[in-house]
Amino acid sequence: MSEVATEHNRIVDAAARLFYERGIHAVGMDAIRTEAGVSLKRLYGEFASKDELIAEVLRRRTEIWDAGIAAAAASAATPRERLLAIYDFLDGWFRTDDFRGCGFINAFGELGAGSPAVAEIARAQKERFQRYVGRLVRELGAPEQLGDQLALLAEGAQTTAAISGRPDAASHARAAAVTLIDVALAA
Amino acid sequence: MSEVATEHNRIVDAAARLFYERGIHAVGMDAIRTEAGVSLKRLYGEFASKDELIAEVLRRRTEIWDAGIAAAAASAATPRERLLAIYDFLDGWFRTDDFRGCGFINAFGELGAGSPAVAEIARAQKERFQRYVGRLVRELGAPEQLGDQLALLAEGAQTTAAISGRPDAASHARAAAVTLIDVALAA
DNA sequence: TACTGTAGAGAACGATCGTTCTCAGCGCAA
DNA sequence: TTGCGCTGAGAACGATCGTTCTCTACAGTA
């Protein structure tokens, strides 16, 4: 049973890695089978279809994202620092070798319209993040709309870092966030 | 010859529409052939391969984007207004029925890593935009990095509007832009 | 009227996709 | 030992992809 659990995870991890690297359509079930080192039969025993595996990969990705944000916030003492920790987290991520943009944005762009399930998972993930930012903004005592603006900066940094290949998008976003926060608090 | 030119355009327009709607991998050459109303032979006479057609579609898309931005800026009297016109342009775009995010971000997410040509066209397009914003910021007499921040807001608004389905991302970006511009000019 | 060149319609090809099926091998109860 | 159930390896299937080829119809010329 623990065997099954680790094989399940191995499949999800392998699929996540390949999907993120090459895009979803470009990766066949056979490549996932090879990367995960399991039989095709087992693969289809764990996931009834590729669509189901895609959904599971995205769900797993939300957990990883949440954990990363939480870890970055853990060493921050104030709501303001926790907000800025988001951009520090992004900065570190953008500098990893295999960074290739936000997996949700990529998945949505590739098959969003054709796959309501994927569109919904991506939407939910972005909403969760917006709510997290909104909560911190409220703790800060700043007006609600600051949260929308700070989330926008984080989204923009991700696509800019991916396409332009400029990791300093994170520090630009951070600088803009500092300005917006200060103005909001001074009002 | 004008016959050929309009058929060429019909093909590009049809492909652009389908790629944007359904994603690139999901659209076959046969669907493009049908949508454009040309023969397969003609299609491959105009474009040697699907890759070439994809590149042409993206190049055309940069022209449309540039024209949209220019048109929005045309009715603005000052650099500041021309900067804010960007977000008004986005607002109108986000509210169109068939809006499905930035075509460059989508294409890059889908096959960026596997297609250097597509990655380069997307990168070049984003760089052009950043330069345009940078030029306006310079006319404004504001520090260089304001341009990076304003571009970030525009990028973030596009992905947020697409995934979350909230066209008001444009007005949030605009509000943030106003704040950042005012602070930059006051300094 | 016969000949030539071109273009349209779509059949055909080889590759690859997601998915299912076959079959040999192995652990294990009786 | 015999029979049974399960598993792994991968062959096989039908669909669809990008691309090419065939064949037919016809416009223009002598």
Side-chain angles (χ1 to χ4, degrees), chain A residues 136-155:
Chain A
L136 289 178
V137 164
R138 224 171 300 119
E139 289 178 27
L140 203 63
E144 199 84 21
Q145 70 161 1
L146 175 63
D148 294 313
Q149 300 178 359
L150 296 181
L152 242 43
L153 285 169
E155 298 296 343

Side-chain angles (χ1 to χ4, degrees), chain B residues 4-80:
Chain B
V4 171
T6 68
E7 284 207 329
H8 185 97
N9 289 345
R10 271 228 309 280
I11 294 170
V12 175
D13 288 347
R17 196 163 43 243
L18 293 177
F19 287 162
Y20 184 66
E21 253 177 38
R22 311 183 198 167
I24 293 174
H25 265 133
V27 173
M29 292 297 266
D30 210 62
I32 295 169
R33 184 204 79 92
T34 301
E35 178 90 357
V38 304
S39 71
L40 257 189
K41 183 175 240 170
R42 170 82 85 178
L43 211 181
Y44 276 92
E46 297 286 333
F47 304 93
S49 68
K50 189 181 184 183
D51 284 346
E52 207 169 276
L53 176 54
I54 294 169
E56 183 66 19
V57 164
L58 290 181
R59 275 190 289 268
R60 165 73 74 97
R61 193 169 267 281
T62 73
E63 294 170 15
I64 294 173
W65 169 272
D66 287 353
I69 293 286
S75 58
T78 66
R80 180 196 160 99

Side-chain angles (χ1 to χ4, degrees), chain A residues 26 31 43-44 53 64 68-69 76 86 102 113 115 128 133 149 157 160:
Chain A
L43 210 181
Y44 276 92
L53 176 55
I64 295 174
I69 292 286
I86 292 169
C102 169
S115 169
R128 268 172 74 81
V133 175
Q149 300 178 359
T160 299

Side-chain angles (χ1 to χ4, degrees), chain A residues 39 43 68 99 119 123 131 177:
Chain A
S39 71
L43 210 181
F99 174 71
R123 211 213 85 258
R131 274 223 274 263

